[in-house]
Amino acid sequence: MVVGRNPVFEALRDGVPATTLYVQQYIDNDERVREALQLAGERGNIHLMEAPRPELDRMTNGLNHQGLVLQVPPYEYAHPEDLTAAAYDNNEDPLIVALDGVTDPRNLGAIVRSVSAFGGHGVVVPERRAAGMTAGAWKSSAGTAARTPVSRVTNLTRALEGYQKAGLTVVGLAADGEHTVEDLEALAGPVVIVIGSEGKGLGRLVGETCDYRVRISMPGGAESLNAGVAAGIVLYEVARRRA
């Protein structure tokens, strides 16, 4: 994966893993270039390479790279069992967020950030029709993706059933949920919180797999919340119960 269109120094600042920073030959050494070089140098593990403009054009498929291109290796997704193992290694009840139909990488990054903030152990996403850990997701995570693993599964329903067999309670967020977040005692134990897309919510099979379906009380009357906001609310409630 190559980051060329967005400002490279933002990707470097936000901790996006990178292998090489390509700088266009004979480019003006302006503030933008100097800042990118400084950040790459501070990271210490990024190679610096000069390349002619046609080569950068080829690498970015003709996007406006502005003379700077950051090469990013493929993201290394965790195995679903790695998330529970990390919790048990720390003598903690697993707290995992699974996403069903969330396609915006910015939402994924925001959720990773919330999981990190509230002591969660990772995020699970499906392989198809879902956001993955792109540079945009890394940026939205504000660097927390470096310490909060994301697992990618071929079948989300089967992954949730695997967690149930391991003793975790699967709690789905739904506008018509039978329980409210603040009243569900199961959130105090080992749990997987499943969040659907803002428009469609949980898929049928995923919803049927959940042990509980909960709703967020919204006295203001809004019909739904952004997936990242909803995740933050539920994760805060879990952290409050565990404190």
Side-chain angles (χ1 to χ4, degrees):
M1 178 172 57
V2 175
V3 179
R5 187 173 183 179
N6 295 323
V8 165
F9 70 85
E10 290 187 7
L12 291 166
R13 180 196 61 196
D14 294 333
V16 175
T19 56
T20 306
L21 173 62
Y22 291 90
V23 182
Q24 182 180 316
Q25 288 179 336
Y26 313 119
I27 192 173
D28 291 336
N29 190 18
D30 57 19
E31 183 177 352
R32 175 179 53 89
V33 174
R34 289 194 296 271
E35 184 170 9
L37 290 171
Q38 179 181 348
L39 287 171
E42 291 172 355
R43 292 271 293 270
N45 57 350
I46 298 176
H47 299 291
L48 299 177
M49 299 285 291
E50 277 194 330
R53 184 179 182 89
E55 177 63 13
L56 300 187
D57 292 342
R58 183 194 64 78
M59 294 172 65
T60 58
N61 294 319
L63 294 176
N64 180 22
H65 50 72
Q66 301 176 12
L68 293 171
V69 172
L70 190 64
Q71 189 169 49
V72 178
Y75 180 79
E76 293 186 11
Y77 290 96
H79 190 278
E81 294 179 2
D82 294 341
L83 310 188
T84 50
Y88 293 134
D89 285 346
N90 291 325
N91 295 315
E92 298 171 347
D93 283 334
L95 171 55
I96 297 167
V97 173
L99 305 183
D100 181 26
V102 174
T103 58
D104 189 339
R106 293 170 297 181
N107 268 337
L108 172 56
I111 290 167
V112 169
R113 186 175 184 179
S114 292
V115 169
S116 177
F118 292 111
H121 301 99
V123 178
V124 178
V125 298
E127 285 185 359
R128 299 179 60 191
R129 295 185 293 275
M133 284 305 298
T134 63
W138 268 91
K139 177 177 173 57
S140 296
S141 80
T144 59
R147 58 180 181 272
T148 303
V150 176
S151 173
R152 204 172 200 180
V153 297
T154 55
N155 187 301
L156 183 59
T157 300
R158 282 203 296 267
L160 295 176
E161 290 171 344
Y163 282 134
Q164 288 171 323
K165 291 177 181 177
L168 280 68
T169 301
V170 176
V171 177
L173 216 56
D176 60 348
E178 298 83 10
H179 307 270
T180 61
V181 169
E182 58 269 25
D183 293 334
L184 189 65
E185 295 295 333
L187 291 176
V191 66
V192 181
I193 299 164
V194 190
I195 299 173
S197 65
E198 184 174 349
K200 297 180 180 179
L202 298 176
R204 181 181 61 83
L205 289 177
V206 169
E208 292 175 352
T209 304
C210 295
D211 298 299
Y212 299 96
R213 298 193 321 140
V214 302
R215 65 185 185 277
I216 296 173
S217 300
M218 292 185 287
E223 293 184 1
S224 64
L225 293 172
N226 170 278
V229 173
I233 292 171
V234 182
L235 287 164
Y236 169 78
E237 178 62 22
V238 175
R240 185 189 69 81
R241 288 174 177 271
R242 293 184 174 190

